[in-house]
Amino acid sequence: MQKAAPNPLRTTNRIITADAARGPAFLLGDNFESSSDVTAYGPNAVIVRAGETNRLAHIIQAGWAYRYERLDDGRRQILNFLIPGDIIDIEALMFPDAPASFSVRALTELDVRSFQASELRDMAERSDVQRRAFEEAVRMHLRALGERLVDIGQRGAPGRLARLFADLHDRLAERALVAGDGAFDLPANQDHIADALGITPVHVNRTLRSFRASRLIEIERRRARILDRAALDRVAAG
Amino acid sequence: MQKAAPNPLRTTNRIITADAARGPAFLLGDNFESSSDVTAYGPNAVIVRAGETNRLAHIIQAGWAYRYERLDDGRRQILNFLIPGDIIDIEALMFPDAPASFSVRALTELDVRSFQASELRDMAERSDVQRRAFEEAVRMHLRALGERLVDIGQRGAPGRLARLFADLHDRLAERALVAGDGAFDLPANQDHIADALGITPVHVNRTLRSFRASRLIEIERRRARILDRAALDRVAAG
DNA sequence: CGCGGCATTGACGCTACTCAAACTAGGTGG
DNA sequence: CCACCTAGTTTGAGTAGCGTCAATGCCGCG
């Protein structure tokens, strides 16, 4: 369902037009021009490895990543997708000395801004605004996990997919990453989506096809568009 | 699958023999004899209501509770079970001003010790030991959510059940709530288990029956015992 | 005794999984 | 420019797991 690629980590320091970095992490992202470091990863690069302790915190400037856990037999559960503006390793921020519970990989070309976790923490203690931004991010992470749990626990395949699309759309919209016609990038392939929702890739395909047939959404070439949001939400509720 | 009962909240201040309160919250629980307040709730009482802001934090002294989310059509997802020593509203602790994302109900007669969230927070800032205990609890909560997500996403009914039993057993053992013969209280009924694992009560029943038939576990009268842990773990892995 | 909550069981149907193959588009080397 | 390769999507046929509906049994309690 995915094969281990040689870690294509290429560390440059190219300048990013950071228009994309909005959202809860925005505040954090802006005050660190000096001490921060922009790094580029290739698709599939491992940013965080479960079990290891890392004292860096990364905020996505451009590209997608995903947080996941892997079972012994190779199965993988994607906990959530990370988009520009997201803090990659909230865990490392909250608990600088504790090993990461989950791994994170780049889904696309990925530009991240990295900080010393401790530095960011200190900062949060001093500035109320910064602290709020940080707490908000943690809160959102918790909420997202819980809601995904509800989705997978209580909804069938159509519901899960509908929810995923609605959620991605809304999160991207918050960060001004949805085009005027409602289209947005969707670099995740059907295998990723399957592993995120706990269904098989084949079944993802069939369900998505039925969505397209009923003109709920459009997907082509790593780009998606919601055609009928009301109907989509109705499917999500079911 | 569950009907709303009139909130049977009865607030007494009876003294608790707090032998049961171990685990991450243990440290927190011990230094508050003065300002803390022990309250008893009846089964099914609502401790935290999603959407409301509460500035109290509760630690379970005795009994079980569960954190859950409810959908419009009545479906319910139980996020996790809370046992003696657990902090009920980690959220309120982390974000005293934010509304709760999830609700919490008592599963059994429940004795909780409650604090002002702010007070506990201040305390954590001053004492390093306290802070560690608190962070550990939050970390565990995150981990638990993630692992449950993996279970529901990747495993079938037998795997989910096996994992749940193993997990409950281990958590209870940490808090010295497992008897010498390996038996422990299991106040959750098959409906609760079903809603926690994302399967139907009927199917929970059948699967549990098969477990008993193959002598993996024993359950009778709200009490459970793991008979063959190795085999259980093997099922869990599958 | 009768009621309510819970566990158990059976029959049946549907959702989603498995296995396997065909097809498509982009990418590479000759 | 074409042949080929790879990653990804699409499709089909058959099946297993789990859900639904509905009935029965069990036990503690008023």
Side-chain angles (χ1 to χ4, degrees), chain B residues 161 190 200-212:
Chain B
L161 276 163
Q190 295 183 349
T200 29
V202 193
H203 202 61
V204 168
N205 186 305
R206 289 192 225 277
T207 311
L208 280 185
R209 266 203 114 265
S210 86
F211 279 12
R212 300 203 307 178

Side-chain angles (χ1 to χ4, degrees), chain B residues 23-128:
Chain B
F26 186 56
L27 291 163
L28 293 166
D30 253 13
N31 300 359
F32 276 85
E33 304 299 341
S34 52
S35 66
S36 72
D37 207 11
V38 173
T39 314
Y41 292 92
N44 229 14
V46 176
I47 319 291
V48 176
R49 200 181 302 272
E52 294 183 1
T53 307
N54 63 335
R55 292 158 180 286
L56 287 180
H58 311 81
I59 295 176
I60 299 185
Q61 299 290 319
W64 285 41
Y66 57 96
R67 216 188 309 264
Y68 69 102
E69 186 167 356
R70 195 171 274 294
L71 302 184
D72 304 321
D73 60 359
R75 278 176 293 181
R76 148 187 93 169
Q77 174 69 38
I78 292 184
L79 302 173
N80 53 29
F81 293 109
L82 302 171
I83 61 177
D86 281 343
I87 301 178
I88 288 188
D89 25 27
I90 305 198
E91 264 193 310
L93 254 181
M94 303 181 62
F95 324 111
D97 302 314
S101 303
F102 312 111
S103 308
V104 178
R105 264 179 191 248
L107 192 56
T108 63
E109 293 282 328
L110 191 67
D111 296 317
V112 300
R113 186 179 290 248
S114 35
F115 315 90
Q116 292 295 341
S118 56
E119 190 182 350
L120 236 176
R121 249 169 101 92
D122 289 348
M123 185 95 182
E125 305 238 331
R126 260 176 276 118
S127 155
D128 244 27

